[in-house]
Amino acid sequence: MIRSRQVWIAAALSLLIPGLGHMYVGHIRLGLLWLVSLYSGFVIAGAVGIVANPYGVIGLIVFTLVIYILVVISAVRLARQGKAYHLKPYNTWYAYGAAALLLLLVNHGVFSVRGDMFGFETFSIPSKVMAPSLRPGDVILVDTRDKQVEVGDVIVFYPPDQPSAYVMRVAGLGGDTIAIKAGQVLRNGTVEHRLEVAPSQRQRDYSLAMATRDIAPDQLFVLGDWRDNSRDSRFFGTIAPSSIVGTVTLIGFADDLARIGPLAVAVEATPRAIGLSH
């Protein structure tokens, strides 16, 4: 059967999934080449560890947009080449649907292992335990390959005997001593300014004082920024480095668009909770 190819259909299918528009115009191999190019860009970015970097995210977004634009242009040009097109066996609505479903399943599978494959994870903040640094509704990007943490880093981890991921700030490393006096966190006997929070965030007795604790060599001590409403290492004890998912690098989405970008230290707050959701 001979039918012309519609430009708008070729463009729409390409926008839906790169390569689908090429399947429509009878150039399935070229479509697969474009699709492989897109995935290769993500794999390479993940391999070199730039996906969780703010500039790497911008670069990856630009790369994806460029690929989509080129794919659409390519499919549209092929659709315009001739009005007489001999239909291929795969030029049926169910073949397009099957191809789209297959690629969506592949995308879902790849994205579900993004932490291992691309070096990043995304989490949604449901609570105010890290306010105002992180607020409910924020979507954070976590570098899953950066587990050599320092004091002051914000990390996602799994506390002892808890199935949910938490997000808190590293307050002490293995071999350190930690104490709280007059609301100030003392690390190895010295006030740790990277852990200072507003007085409004540390009104309760357990936020104003804590006896000195020794941190075992293979452990970390974590604190929430809103001390009064954070169940952290003061309550569940230290955590093992192996429980760390990664280091929070940026806020990818926030109700206040001005807050989107690299994570900044802040001081002030409001209530509680701890779990995270992907």
Side-chain angles (χ1 to χ4, degrees):
M1 186 180 296
I2 298 177
R3 286 185 183 175
S4 61
R5 299 288 85 184
Q6 300 297 316
V7 169
W8 70 271
I9 295 179
L13 290 174
S14 296
L15 287 172
L16 178 63
I17 294 179
L20 207 55
H22 287 79
M23 181 179 177
Y24 170 73
V25 297
H27 290 264
I28 194 168
R29 290 183 180 178
L30 183 57
L32 287 173
L33 183 60
W34 279 115
L35 195 61
V36 168
S37 299
L38 179 63
Y39 279 119
S40 296
F42 276 90
V43 171
I44 292 171
V48 299
I50 67 169
V51 180
N53 178 288
Y55 299 105
V57 171
I58 294 172
L60 204 58
I61 291 173
V62 171
F63 167 77
T64 302
L65 289 175
V66 169
I67 289 292
Y68 265 85
I69 291 170
L70 292 176
V71 167
V72 170
I73 292 173
S74 174
V76 166
R77 290 182 62 183
L78 290 170
R80 285 177 172 172
Q81 280 184 357
K83 294 183 178 180
Y85 171 75
H86 292 268
L87 293 179
K88 304 289 194 300
Y90 51 75
N91 286 134
T92 60
W93 67 267
Y94 48 84
Y96 301 143
L101 179 60
L102 176 61
L103 291 174
L104 288 173
L105 290 173
V106 170
N107 287 340
H108 177 74
V110 169
F111 196 66
S112 66
V113 294
R114 58 191 178 276
D116 295 326
M117 182 172 289
F118 301 129
F120 80 96
E121 282 282 3
T122 56
F123 290 89
S124 175
I125 303 296
S127 70
K128 299 177 181 178
V129 70
M130 282 297 294
S133 303
L134 297 173
R135 302 174 185 174
D138 287 353
V139 176
I140 56 173
L141 194 69
V142 177
D143 185 346
T144 59
R145 293 178 181 170
D146 183 10
K147 299 184 180 180
Q148 300 298 313
V149 299
E150 299 292 339
V151 170
D153 286 349
V154 177
I155 62 171
V156 172
F157 64 96
Y158 287 93
D161 302 320
Q162 291 291 333
S164 300
Y166 285 25
V167 58
M168 290 179 185
R169 197 176 298 276
V170 177
L173 307 176
D176 288 344
T177 61
I178 291 290
I180 299 177
K181 294 183 179 180
Q184 298 281 0
V185 180
L186 277 63
R187 177 175 172 243
N188 300 325
T190 303
V191 173
E192 181 54 76
H193 296 291
R194 289 174 289 184
L195 302 174
E196 290 184 0
V197 297
S200 60
Q201 296 174 255
R202 46 178 178 81
Q203 297 289 309
R204 298 183 180 181
D205 290 344
Y206 56 74
S207 299
L208 294 173
M210 183 186 76
T212 300
R213 300 191 191 183
D214 296 321
I215 304 175
D218 59 345
Q219 296 288 295
L220 299 171
F221 196 93
V222 294
L223 290 170
D225 281 0
W226 197 12
R227 301 284 153 73
D228 287 347
N229 293 280
S230 173
R231 292 194 61 82
D232 43 44
S233 286
R234 292 171 295 172
F235 300 94
F236 56 66
T238 56
I239 66 169
S242 59
S243 69
I244 297 175
V245 175
T247 303
V248 180
T249 57
L250 63 91
I251 299 173
F253 175 80
D255 293 336
D256 179 2
L257 298 182
R259 297 180 54 249
I260 294 176
L263 183 64
V265 177
V267 287
E268 104 177 282
T270 16
R272 142 162 236 226
I274 20 206
L276 291 177
S277 56
H278 284 275

